[in-house]
């Protein structure tokens, strides 16, 4: 049976360099666990996101949250992305999905 692995990349710091509180991430954990019955959070060693911006390279330290689901409700994810963008004061939050198969 095919499943979807959804990954949410969340920044550790806002655009002014202030760290987000643990409450912000706990809200995400709680919401995703309630909606999908569980999650995986990669929070111990931040990953680094890099992208080209204004003739240079910008970066964010990020944490990754993952959930698996059989159905991919794109409208729900688009709405949740907007919630996260407001909560984490970001122009864009990356949420990506890929089909996967359990072995």
């Amino acid at each position: 049976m095919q499943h979807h692995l959804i990954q949410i990349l969340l920044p550790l710091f806002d655009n002014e360099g202030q760290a987000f509180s643990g409450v912000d991430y706990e809200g995400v954990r709680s919401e995703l666990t309630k909606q999908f019955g569980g999650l995986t959070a990669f929070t111990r060693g931040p990953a680094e996101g890099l992208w080209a911006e204004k003739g240079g390279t910008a970066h964010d330290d990020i944490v990754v949250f993952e959930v698996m689901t059989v159905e991919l409700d794109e409208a729900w994810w688009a709405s949740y992305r907007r919630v996260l963008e407001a909560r984490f004061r970001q122009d864009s939050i990356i949420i990506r999905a890929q089909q996967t198969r359990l072995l």
Side-chain angles (χ1 to χ4, degrees):
M1 174 183 288
Q2 292 289 324
H3 288 77
H4 297 276
L5 175 67
I6 296 101
Q7 297 176 315
I8 304 168
L9 285 57
L10 296 174
L12 289 177
F13 303 95
D14 68 14
N15 293 331
E16 285 74 43
Q18 298 298 311
F20 291 104
S21 76
V23 172
D24 295 311
Y25 302 104
E26 185 54 42
V28 174
R29 284 184 188 94
S30 176
E31 292 157 359
L32 294 176
T33 299
K34 181 178 178 184
Q35 182 73 21
F36 298 99
L39 66 84
T40 302
F42 298 92
T43 59
R44 298 225 176 221
E48 184 177 31
L50 301 168
W51 65 95
E53 182 177 271
K54 298 176 186 170
T57 301
H59 84 282
D60 267 336
D61 289 331
I62 59 173
V63 295
V64 180
F65 288 79
E66 291 183 344
V67 296
M68 288 185 58
T69 183
V70 174
E71 298 295 325
L72 181 61
D73 184 345
E74 292 186 32
W76 187 90
W77 284 105
S79 175
Y80 192 59
R81 180 179 43 80
R82 288 188 296 275
V83 167
L84 294 176
E85 288 168 346
R87 183 181 301 165
F88 288 92
R89 301 179 301 281
Q90 299 294 302
D91 293 334
S92 179
I93 294 279
I94 301 296
I95 299 178
R96 58 189 181 200
Q98 59 189 17
Q99 284 191 343
T100 188
R101 182 173 48 151
L102 297 178
L103 301 176

